[in-house]
């Protein structure tokens, strides 16, 4: 069975601090995909990144970076120099391969509050 | 590209009434998913389709829920009869292929009173 765990329910930081959101996943599939989505107060789900299981390279996009480590089944997300507009709920998600029929399973989310 | 389009954005209905939520996926996307989001249960996958065929409906909570995809450009999620515990935000998402990026609609906020 697939599972995504986001142990941090809520994080509060002061603007310009760096913050890391943790994500741990479980799957028996050898081919799978990991995602991060942002849900701002307006409610929509915004796609941030997709990573496949064969690509362990870290990725940086502006102030955002992602650290994928298969050895620890983790896919952590770091925001550098956080801003108030980063305040949102962030979801990590997993889409498994053939055994799991590529269903997209979400973690419970981490609510990030960035204070001015 | 208009993205995934859901209607209505908000729906308020009385307990016992039938509710139909609608979704238009992105053209060319082979996969369509229905999710429900609540505070207690988070984002739950209800059902998904591949090429208009339901593949997995194990997340559909009860027989009161049904979903159809009569063609590649339209899907419905129906609740009959509705109950207050069905109050939630219902999202539709589509994907080009398995494992590709999933694009979500803006959601339908359903309130059953």
């Amino acid at each position: 069975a697939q599972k995504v765990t986001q142990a941090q329910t809520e994080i509060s930081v002061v603007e310009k601090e760096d913050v890391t959101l943790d994500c741990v996943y479980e799957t028996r599939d050898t081919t799978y995909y990991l995602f991060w989505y942002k849900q701002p107060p307006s409610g929509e789900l915004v796609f941030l990144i997709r990573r496949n299981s064969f690509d362990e390279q870290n990725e940086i996009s502006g102030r955002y970076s992602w650290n994928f480590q298969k050895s620890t089944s983790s896919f952590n997300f770091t925001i550098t120099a956080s801003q108030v507009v980063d305040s949102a709920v962030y979801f990590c998600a997993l889409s498994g391969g053939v055994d799991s029929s590529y269903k997209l399973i979400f973690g419970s989310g981490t609510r990030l509050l960035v204070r001015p | 590209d208009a993205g995934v389009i859901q209607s209505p954005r908000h729906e308020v209905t009385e307990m016992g009434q039938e509710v139909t939520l609608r979704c238009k996926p992105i053209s060319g996307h082979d996969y369509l998913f229905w999710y429900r989001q609540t505070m207690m249960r988070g984002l739950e996958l209800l059902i998904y389709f591949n090429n208009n065929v339901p593949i997995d409906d194990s997340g559909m909570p009860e027989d009161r829920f049904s979903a159809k995809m009569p063609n590649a450009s339209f899907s419905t999620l129906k609740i009959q009869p509705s109950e207050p515990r069905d109050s939630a935000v219902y999202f539709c998402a589509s994907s080009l292929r398995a494992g590709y990026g999933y694009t979500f609609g803006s959601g339908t906020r359903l309130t059953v009173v």
Side-chain angles (χ1 to χ4, degrees), chain A residues 37 39 50 95 101-104, chain B residues 35 37 48 56 98-99 102:
Chain A
Y37 282 84
Q39 188 173 43
R50 166 186 174 266
S95 176
S101 302
Y102 294 103
K103 294 189 291 187
L104 185 63
Chain B
Y35 284 85
Q37 185 176 32
Y48 80 97
D56 188 336
Y102 299 71

Side-chain angles (χ1 to χ4, degrees), chain B residues 13-107:
Chain B
T13 190
E14 291 186 348
M15 183 173 63
Q17 295 297 307
E18 177 179 296
V19 176
T20 299
L21 311 182
R22 298 173 176 79
C23 175
K24 177 179 169 54
I26 292 174
S27 177
H29 280 196
D30 290 342
Y31 287 80
L32 184 139
F33 303 81
W34 281 101
Y35 284 85
R36 177 172 69 174
Q37 185 176 32
T38 60
M39 289 294 294
M40 292 298 294
R41 301 175 69 90
L43 275 158
E44 303 174 272
L45 175 64
L46 300 178
I47 185 172
Y48 80 97
F49 297 82
N50 180 19
N51 291 322
N52 312 338
V53 176
I55 303 300
D56 188 336
D57 65 355
S58 59
M60 297 285 262
E62 300 171 34
D63 291 344
R64 299 184 295 106
F65 285 70
S66 62
K68 294 182 180 179
M69 192 165 186
N71 57 62
S73 59
F74 184 65
S75 177
T76 59
L77 178 67
K78 186 177 293 186
I79 308 173
Q80 166 64 19
S82 58
E83 296 182 3
R85 58 194 168 119
D86 301 331
S87 297
V89 179
Y90 291 82
F91 286 101
C92 175
S94 70
S95 177
L96 181 62
R97 295 193 197 100
Y100 273 57
Y102 299 71
T103 303
F104 283 79
S106 300

Side-chain angles (χ1 to χ4, degrees), chain A residues 63-81:
Chain A
R63 296 183 297 105
Y64 294 172
S65 62
W66 291 269
N67 183 296
F68 176 29
Q69 292 195 343
K70 287 180 77 170
S71 60
T72 56
S73 297
S74 64
F75 186 44
N76 297 337
F77 173 30
T78 297
I79 302 175
T80 303

